[in-house]
Every structure is written in structure tokens, then in C-alpha cells.
Amino acid sequence: MNRRFALKATLAATALAALTACAHTPKGDDIVDIAAANGNFNTLVAAVQAAGLEETLRSPGPFTVFAPTDAAFAALPAGTVESLLLPENKDQLVSILTYHVLPGAVQSGDVLGAVTNVATVQGQTVRVDGTGSKVGPSVKVNDANVTAADIIASNGVIHVIDKVLLPK
């Protein structure tokens, strides 16, 4: 009797798992949705919109975005953000923002223990250093620290950084 019950329970669980796997899962939040909902990326979201990149960062991707916080933007020289948001500086803004984006989804585990130069969507490379520090694993992008890693979006991954990356 117990064997029969166990067999029926196993078959039912397998059938349920198969149905669940085939079921349509709702589309998750994309990179822009996650940044906008967070509250620490208001400047980044405004810049993405001003640069006309919102639709791109909502597309299927996948993308890896090194997302500077509002505090990182505030650390730029006074007036820099306001100047970049002006329509006449759109090309420069696009260049800076696309310097924060990699094609493909790269998670922190992919870079731990290595130093790599990676091509950005902008065309230049960033130096990703996953060799860590004396206190434990850490990742740096150029001279910015990754303060939160592997925020998974429906179209890629976000890594929070503490500085705005500026192309050379």
C-alpha cells in the first residue's frame, strides 16, 4: 500500500512539474523597470530617457549594465549632470551611458578571479577586475567598485557601481 501511494505521489509530482515547466511565465521586469523602481537610480533613468536609450534598454538584449547610483552622479563636478542632460549634449550623454553597457549578460561569478578588458556597447573597453581584495571577493570596473552584483532583469543583469564611468 505504501509503495502504491509513493508511486502515485511521485507520478503526480512529476506531472505537476511538467505542467508548471510548460506553463507561460509572465515577463519579468526589464533593466529600466528595475532601475526606475529602485529609487537609487533616478539620475540614471533620467539620463537614459534624455539620451533616447530607454527603448534599447527595454529590448530583449541581453545586456550587462554597470549602474551608477544617484550618489555616484552627485559626486561629479557641479553642473556636469545638468549639462549632460541638455539636448545639445545628447551625443556625449549617449557615449557615457553606452560605456556602462556590455553586450550579453555577465554575472559576477563569470569574472571572479580574473582581470579582463571587455568591450562596451560604446566601443571602448572597461577593465573588469574580479581578483578581490584582502577582505574577500570584490569586483571593480575601471576605478568604480561594484557595490551590489547580479540583479537579474528579464533582459540582462545589473551591477551597481559607486562611480560614473567616463570614456577616455
Side-chain angles (χ1 to χ4, degrees):
M1 184 78 156
N2 286 338
R3 285 185 189 171
R4 207 178 280 166
F5 176 77
L7 180 60
K8 285 182 181 178
T10 302
L11 289 173
T14 303
L16 181 61
L19 287 172
T20 304
C22 295
H24 181 310
T25 54
K27 184 178 176 187
D29 289 340
D30 62 37
I31 290 167
V32 177
D33 291 334
I34 291 172
N38 182 284
N40 290 315
F41 303 106
N42 296 324
T43 307
L44 177 61
V45 171
V48 164
Q49 291 168 339
L53 295 172
E54 183 175 1
E55 187 174 321
T56 300
L57 289 176
R58 288 187 182 280
S59 71
F63 303 105
T64 299
V65 175
F66 299 114
T69 61
D70 291 337
F73 278 102
L76 291 171
T80 302
V81 173
E82 294 79 6
S83 175
L84 287 170
L85 294 175
L86 295 173
E88 59 266 23
N89 296 326
K90 182 177 178 180
D91 290 343
Q92 184 181 8
L93 180 61
V94 168
S95 178
I96 291 170
L97 292 175
T98 56
Y99 189 62
H100 288 78
V101 181
L102 306 179
V106 180
Q107 295 189 24
S108 61
D110 300 331
V111 300
L112 287 179
V115 177
T116 314
N117 289 320
V118 185
T120 66
V121 171
Q122 184 257 8
Q124 294 184 34
T125 61
V126 290
R127 182 176 188 264
V128 179
D129 182 348
T131 58
S133 66
K134 293 179 182 178
V135 293
S138 67
V139 177
K140 288 183 77 96
V141 182
N142 290 351
D143 62 343
N145 296 301
V146 174
T147 59
D150 300 334
I151 301 168
I152 305 299
S154 64
N155 61 343
V157 61
I158 301 168
H159 302 291
V160 181
I161 57 175
D162 63 356
K163 292 184 179 176
V164 176
L165 305 174
L166 298 173
K168 297 171 182 148

